[in-house]
Amino acid sequence: MKPFLAICLAASLFTVTPAFAQFGQTNLLPQQERDAVRQGRLLSLGEIYNMMRERYRGGQPVSAQMLDGDRYLIRWEVQGRVKELVVSARNGQVLSERG
């Protein structure tokens, strides 16, 4: 029974890890970042993802990390190609695009 539980635990760690990879390091504490989103100073990552889906006619996020408190580096897959986007967290504007 113990080996089965160990295998289940290990498998769950591999499925949870990508979710953690989408959140990057910021200059803000997590509570400060949440407050900035609530107060409307920053867009949530979900809102930015919705903007990217409209802009690129679909696609999905591969990963994201906060660069400096107001910009995200987002890797976005569209039709099998991965683009690296630097996006403003303040207004969702794509500041640079590679790929």
Side-chain angles (χ1 to χ4, degrees):
M1 184 69 170
K2 287 184 182 180
F4 176 73
L5 291 175
I7 291 171
C8 289
L9 178 62
S12 69
L13 290 176
F14 287 114
T15 58
V16 173
T17 304
F20 290 122
Q22 68 179 329
F23 301 105
Q25 300 295 323
T26 69
N27 300 359
L28 303 173
L29 296 171
Q31 184 63 44
Q32 291 172 321
E33 192 170 339
R34 282 191 293 273
D35 290 344
V37 169
R38 282 190 197 118
Q39 294 169 2
R41 292 190 320 244
L42 298 177
L43 296 173
S44 72
L45 199 50
E47 292 172 310
I48 292 173
Y49 284 169
N50 288 336
M51 295 171 121
M52 296 301 100
R53 282 187 187 95
E54 288 178 26
R55 178 181 174 130
Y56 295 103
R57 293 180 176 86
Q60 62 183 2
V62 176
S63 65
Q65 76 181 74
M66 185 70 88
L67 293 177
D68 59 8
D70 67 345
R71 294 180 307 149
Y72 281 106
L73 172 61
I74 299 175
R75 296 185 72 223
W76 191 264
E77 182 179 0
V78 181
Q79 299 175 349
R81 299 183 67 197
V82 177
K83 296 179 176 289
E84 288 188 359
L85 309 169
V86 175
V87 180
S88 169
R90 297 187 187 280
N91 58 19
Q93 179 182 3
V94 176
L95 304 173
S96 71
E97 177 180 327
R98 282 193 313 194

